Amino acid sequence: MINGVRHKVGRRDAFTVLEMLVVLGISAFLSTIFVGYGASLKDQMAVFREEARLTQVLFKAKTFAIQARETGGVVACGYGVSLDRTARTYQIYLKAKIGEEKCEVAYPQADNWDRSEDEIIGSSFKVDGKVGLSGSGQTAVAFEPPRPTVHVVGGNDQGEAVFRLCTLSEPVLCREVVVTKVGQITTR
C-alpha cells in the first residue's frame, strides 16, 4: 500500500499554474515583437511595390520611344514619365508634332516646360499612401526616339532623373529609381 501512495504522489498529469504563466508570458512577448515588425514590413513592401511599378512605367515609356512611328500624320517627338510630388501621381505622356513643327521644342527644359499639349498615355498612377516622395516640385524624364536620347527636368547635378521613394513610418527605408543621361534605368 505504501508503494501505491508513493506512485500516485510522484506522478504528474498536468502543468502547474506557474509553468502556464511562464509560457503565456513568453508567448505574449514574442507576439508583440512580431506584430510590431509586421506593420513596418507592410510599409517596406509598399515601397518595393511602388519602386517596381515606377520602374515598369519608365521602361514602358522608353519602349514606346524605341518603337515610335508616325500614325495619322502625327509623329512622336518623345515619350516620357512625369512625377508630380504635390499630387502624388506619375504618368506616361506623349510629345507629338503635327505637320512641319520641330521636335526640339517638345523636350522638357528646366526653365520652361509646358505640358498643356501632352497626351497622357494610359492612366495616371497614384503613389501608395504608405510611401513618401522626397524632394519638391516635379521630376520628368523624356525619351526622344529612336535612340532614345534622354531629357531630364528636376534631375541631379549629373543630369540624372532621381525618383526617391521612402516609408512614412519608422524605421525609414528609402529606395531610388534612377534614369541616367544615356537612358539606363536602375534602382538603388
Side-chain angles (χ1 to χ4, degrees):
M1 189 173 186
I2 294 182
N3 285 341
V5 173
R6 246 192 234 163
H7 183 62
K8 286 185 180 178
V9 172
R11 196 172 110 198
R12 288 178 51 186
D13 289 335
F15 294 108
T16 64
V17 173
L18 182 60
E19 290 171 333
M20 290 299 290
L21 288 175
V22 168
V23 169
L24 286 174
I26 291 171
S27 298
F29 176 71
L30 291 175
S31 67
T32 58
I33 289 173
F34 291 127
V35 167
Y37 184 70
S40 68
L41 186 61
K42 284 181 184 178
D43 294 347
Q44 291 174 6
M45 291 306 295
V47 169
F48 286 119
R49 271 193 311 273
E50 204 62 53
E51 175 190 34
R53 190 168 64 165
L54 179 58
T55 303
Q56 181 183 16
V57 167
L58 286 164
F59 273 114
K60 193 173 190 178
K62 184 177 175 183
T63 302
F64 285 161
I66 291 170
Q67 299 174 348
R69 58 184 175 272
E70 180 179 345
T71 52
V74 177
V75 177
C77 290
Y79 291 88
V81 175
S82 66
L83 174 90
D84 187 349
R85 287 179 176 82
T86 308
R88 299 179 49 79
T89 59
Y90 54 94
Q91 58 212 4
I92 298 177
Y93 64 90
L94 162 68
K95 286 282 192 186
K97 81 170 187 174
I98 301 169
E100 299 298 319
E101 289 181 31
K102 294 193 181 269
C103 278
E104 295 95 42
V105 298
Y107 305 123
Q109 302 296 320
D111 50 352
N112 59 345
W113 185 44
D114 180 21
R115 291 199 36 238
S116 60
E117 296 180 14
D118 294 349
E119 178 185 341
I120 303 300
I121 309 275
S123 60
S124 182
F125 298 94
K126 184 82 172 155
V127 176
D128 191 304
K130 298 177 182 176
V131 178
L133 303 167
S134 66
S136 61
Q138 208 168 48
T139 300
V141 94
F143 299 99
E144 172 190 351
R147 296 189 275 297
T149 304
V150 179
H151 303 274
V152 175
V153 171
N156 62 16
D157 296 338
Q158 291 83 28
E160 301 172 325
V162 179
F163 301 92
R164 188 173 169 89
L165 309 165
C166 299
T167 57
L168 296 175
S169 62
E170 294 292 331
V172 175
L173 167 78
C174 292
R175 299 288 296 166
E176 292 180 339
V177 178
V178 180
V179 182
T180 64
K181 292 186 287 190
V182 295
Q184 182 181 13
I185 301 169
T186 59
T187 59
R188 55 182 181 205

